[in-house]
Amino acid sequence: MTHQQTPEPMPTETKDWTVVLDAGCSECGWAPFAPQDSVHRFADAATRWGLVLQRDDPRMRPAPLVWSPVEYAYHVRELLELLAPRIRNMVAQEDPTFQNYDGDASAAENQTWAADPAVVAREIKQATTEVLATLDALEPADWQRAGHRSDAVVFTVGSLCQFIVHDVEHHLWDVNG
């Protein structure tokens, strides 16, 4: 498939990925880590995503029902853009509620398969910079501040960072085979 064509719609993701916070990920080998290590892991991942998006055709899907590198990167960028405001809300408010993020719906709505890889790389870098600044401003006790998704899943700032780090790193694993 070339990137000019509208790809086949992806099946909706139904897996509860929060299990990785306790058990790790059997697919990519990710294991739980100290939440404060999120800082260097986000920074490292942003660099790695920049390299992925410099490939010959990062808009090419390896198979009809597998996202292309730019689609995964767009998803990663969206997660990073959601993270900093959610952390700030968790620190400022008592147990805020966040809407669930539907990456599959967003991908279809935003036609992520056609995104400009250079723009997405720049946006990942910008979003990562905001996340790192937000994490740098945390007090030690802030890592335990809580919030929850609208489906009642509870996160602390620390576990939310771990959860997003897993997503960012898992998708690097996806595109690097």
Side-chain angles (χ1 to χ4, degrees):
M1 180 198 91
T2 65
H3 58 271
Q4 284 91 12
Q5 299 171 329
T6 301
E8 190 173 337
M10 299 295 282
T12 300
E13 174 68 64
T14 58
K15 183 174 179 174
D16 176 7
W17 285 97
T18 60
V19 299
V20 302
L21 293 172
D22 294 322
C25 182
S26 61
E27 290 180 29
C28 71
W30 183 90
F33 59 91
Q36 292 81 353
D37 289 344
S38 299
V39 173
H40 78 270
R41 292 178 80 145
F42 281 129
D44 176 63
T47 299
R48 293 170 58 201
W49 275 109
L51 295 172
V52 165
L53 292 168
Q54 291 176 18
R55 293 180 182 169
D56 285 341
D57 193 355
R59 289 186 252 185
M60 181 69 70
R61 282 188 170 182
L65 294 177
V66 177
W67 275 354
S68 68
V70 78
E71 289 173 279
Y72 279 119
Y74 194 105
H75 172 71
V76 163
R77 193 259 308 155
E78 288 185 323
L79 291 172
L80 292 167
E81 287 180 344
L82 289 171
L83 183 58
R86 288 184 179 193
I87 291 170
R88 289 191 296 269
N89 284 339
M90 292 168 78
V91 171
Q93 300 174 25
E94 198 62 39
D95 194 27
T97 302
F98 304 108
Q99 290 301 310
N100 290 352
Y101 162 74
D102 185 339
D104 296 318
S106 177
E109 179 181 326
N110 293 305
Q111 300 181 358
T112 60
W113 57 86
D116 181 329
V119 171
V120 176
R122 186 174 59 250
E123 291 170 344
I124 286 174
K125 187 175 181 177
Q126 291 168 341
T128 300
T129 298
E130 183 180 354
V131 167
L132 297 179
T134 301
L135 295 177
D136 188 52
L138 294 178
E139 297 294 330
D142 291 340
W143 289 90
Q144 294 305 313
R145 297 283 300 178
H148 63 277
R149 289 191 314 210
S150 56
D151 64 357
V153 173
V154 176
F155 289 98
T156 63
V157 168
S159 67
L160 182 59
C161 286
Q162 290 172 311
F163 184 71
I164 302 300
V165 165
H166 168 258
D167 215 307
V168 169
E169 292 178 351
H170 187 101
H171 293 317
L172 279 166
W173 175 81
D174 285 326
V175 300
N176 290 320

